[in-house]
Amino acid sequence: MQNGEPLIRHVLTTWEVHNGIHLALFDAISPAGFEAVPLKSRGRTVLEQFNHTVSVRLGWVQYHRTGKFPSRRTLELPENVREGIARSGEEVRAFLEQALGGEAKVRNFEGNPVRFMGYLISHESHHRGSVALALKQAGLKLPEEVAMQGLWGRWMWKSGSGGQG
């Protein structure tokens, strides 16, 4: 085992936990919940907020690889957005693994793949908060096991991705 491999595994696991939380929240939303919009917001529905996170993920990965941002992607159906979350999560993980191993270059973020990952986690956590607020304001509160264990407890007690424990 080379030096740094355990740390790289920890970094990649952190991304996997984050992506699993994103998927768990998505999976807990009812069809009506996807149309909820936070009051006094820019007007993005819950589904549009998830679509935005997919677009940002894929856009940054493409930018890091090519130096060019793609045009925005719009995934209209919940099942397409869910697949987009899963697929983009895998693409980010693969890029992080390459960047951490010195096989890919991170543009901006001072070239630091962990800093880039921190940006994505912060950005997506902001949107998860907006999603939870929109659902609450629409009277579609998340089940307690999702709101607490699903969004917070996974950081402390569970690892993995794909909405699995």
Side-chain angles (χ1 to χ4, degrees):
M1 186 179 304
Q2 295 177 333
N3 289 341
E5 280 187 29
L7 180 58
I8 290 172
R9 268 198 318 273
H10 289 308
V11 170
L12 296 175
T13 298
T14 298
W15 175 257
E16 291 166 1
V17 169
H18 165 75
N19 196 55
I21 291 168
H22 216 55
L23 284 164
L25 174 58
F26 188 90
D27 290 344
I29 298 171
S30 68
F34 287 123
E35 297 305 315
V37 177
L39 300 176
K40 298 183 181 181
S41 72
R42 288 187 181 179
R44 273 190 186 138
T45 66
V46 164
L47 188 63
E48 290 168 337
Q49 290 199 54
F50 279 104
N51 184 66
H52 169 71
T53 64
V54 170
S55 183
V56 167
R57 285 176 175 188
L58 295 175
W60 274 109
V61 170
Q62 181 172 330
Y63 175 72
H64 291 314
R65 293 195 187 287
T66 67
K68 297 179 184 177
F69 279 105
S71 58
R72 287 194 176 251
R73 295 177 169 107
T74 302
L75 306 168
E76 311 253 338
L77 301 172
E79 56 271 19
N80 295 342
V81 175
R82 191 199 190 286
E83 174 59 29
I85 295 167
R87 186 174 50 82
S88 65
E90 292 167 6
E91 287 192 34
V92 169
R93 187 201 181 283
F95 174 76
L96 287 169
E97 187 169 22
Q98 291 172 344
L100 290 162
E103 300 165 17
K105 178 183 175 186
V106 173
R107 298 172 191 268
N108 299 344
F109 306 95
E110 295 186 357
N112 181 332
V114 176
R115 188 169 171 173
F116 166 61
M117 182 184 75
Y119 161 80
L120 287 178
I121 290 173
S122 296
H123 174 252
E124 294 176 16
S125 296
H126 158 76
H127 284 287
R128 283 201 296 264
S130 294
V131 164
L133 178 63
L135 295 172
K136 185 175 183 178
Q137 289 173 338
L140 302 167
K141 215 171 143 181
L142 291 168
E144 191 67 21
E145 64 273 7
V146 173
M148 292 306 294
Q149 178 58 27
L151 301 182
W152 298 106
R154 285 173 180 249
W155 286 115
M156 295 172 271
W157 298 297
K158 292 185 179 185
S159 64
S161 62
Q164 304 299 313

